[in-house]
Amino acid sequence: AGMGRTLVELFYDVISPYSWLAFEVLCRYQHIWNIDLRFRPAFLAGVMQQAGNKPPAMLPKRGEYLVKDMKRMAKYYQVPVHMPADASQHILGTSSLAAMRFITAIDVTEPQYLEPLSREFWMRFWSQHEDISQPENILAVARQAGLSAELSQKALEMSSSPAVKDRLKDTTAEALKYGAFGMPAVVAHYDGEPHLFFGSDRLELLGSIIGE
C-alpha cells in the first residue's frame, strides 16, 4: 500500500450477486477514499464448505428474502443485477470453479484485465442469466472484456495448471484465515490489523473505521 493508504482486499466469487455490489461500490470509491483496492478472486463453495456454512438459498424464507433484497440493493447501487425467479437454482445449479480459475489465471498474467473481466462474468450470469461454466462461454466473456483471442486461449489452458489451481486454493484459504464464512469478504488493513467486513451492506462501516 502507498503512503498512508489503507489496503482493502476484496475476496469475491462471480457466482455471488452481493459480491458484484461490493465490487462496484469499491471500484467507485477507490479514487475517492484513500485506499489501495486489491481484488482477490477466491472460491465461494470452498469457503462455505470449510466454514460449515450453507447457501442462504437453501432456507426457503431466506431465499425469498434474498430475491427481494437483491432487487432493492441493485436499484440502490445502480448495478444491473436481474434476479431470476428461480435464483436459488440459478446459483445451486452452477459451479463457478472454471470461471474463478480463469479469472485467477488472468490475475497472475495480465492483472489489468481483472476488473473488466470479473464485471463481464457477473453481467453474463446475473444480468443475462447465461452460462459461465463452459469453456466456450468463458471465452465469450473474455472477448467481451476486451481480451485478445490469444490471451484468452492461453488463460484457459493455464486454468487447469497446478499453479493456477493452487493460487485459487491459497486465496480461498487466506479468506478463511481472516475469518470469512461467505462472500464478499472485505478485509481492510488498518492500524496494524485486518478488519473483516462480510457482505455488501457494511461498506459505510468500513469507511468509518478507516477514517473516511
Side-chain angles (χ1 to χ4, degrees):
M3 270 305 288
R5 291 175 82 76
T6 301
L7 171 64
V8 174
E9 299 183 87
L10 169 65
F11 292 89
Y12 68 93
D13 185 320
V14 294
I15 203 151
S16 152
Y18 287 103
S19 289
W20 190 11
L21 300 178
F23 171 88
E24 294 298 356
V25 174
L26 287 170
C27 282
R28 288 168 199 170
Y29 275 85
Q30 66 178 328
H31 305 299
I32 299 168
W33 287 354
N34 195 23
I35 61 172
D36 280 325
L37 179 58
R38 188 171 171 210
F39 299 123
R40 305 298 308 275
F43 187 44
L44 177 58
V47 167
M48 301 284 269
Q49 190 189 358
Q50 295 283 316
N53 197 354
K54 290 190 168 48
M58 287 178 79
L59 187 68
K61 284 288 177 209
R62 216 175 150 190
E64 282 167 35
Y65 176 78
L66 182 123
V67 175
K68 288 179 189 152
D69 188 47
M70 273 308 305
K71 282 182 180 164
R72 292 187 296 218
M73 295 280 275
K75 190 177 173 190
Y76 178 73
Y77 285 128
Q78 299 178 336
V79 176
V81 185
H82 300 298
M83 293 301 275
D86 61 342
S88 309
Q89 284 318 110
H90 192 53
I91 299 178
L92 298 174
T94 301
S95 169
S96 62
L97 187 57
M100 294 317 296
R101 281 179 178 161
F102 184 85
I103 291 170
T104 300
I106 288 298
D107 186 21
V108 173
T109 51
E110 304 281 346
Q112 72 272 24
Y113 286 113
L114 201 50
E115 184 184 325
L117 178 67
S118 301
R119 183 175 287 118
E120 285 302 334
F121 270 106
W122 276 304
M123 284 295 284
R124 186 178 178 93
F125 192 67
W126 283 110
S127 220
Q128 295 147 4
H129 304 159
E130 288 179 36
D131 182 79
I132 54 164
S133 62
Q134 297 306 311
E136 62 272 23
N137 298 323
I138 288 172
L139 290 173
V141 170
R143 203 163 48 240
Q144 200 67 39
L147 280 73
S148 69
E150 190 186 3
L151 177 57
S152 306
Q153 197 55 50
K154 188 177 123 189
L156 192 62
E157 285 159 21
M158 276 181 71
S159 295
S160 52
S161 71
V164 165
K165 289 180 176 177
D166 288 348
R167 167 76 172 250
L168 183 60
K169 273 188 201 135
D170 291 348
T171 307
T172 304
E174 219 174 308
L176 284 156
K177 188 189 82 189
Y178 285 129
F181 50 88
M183 281 183 201
V186 183
V187 179
H189 298 267
Y190 187 72
D191 236 1
E193 57 177 313
H195 301 259
L196 170 73
F197 300 88
F198 170 66
S200 54
D201 55 353
R202 289 292 180 269
L203 300 170
E204 296 88 344
L205 189 59
L206 160 75
S208 164
I209 281 174
I210 63 172
E212 293 290 355

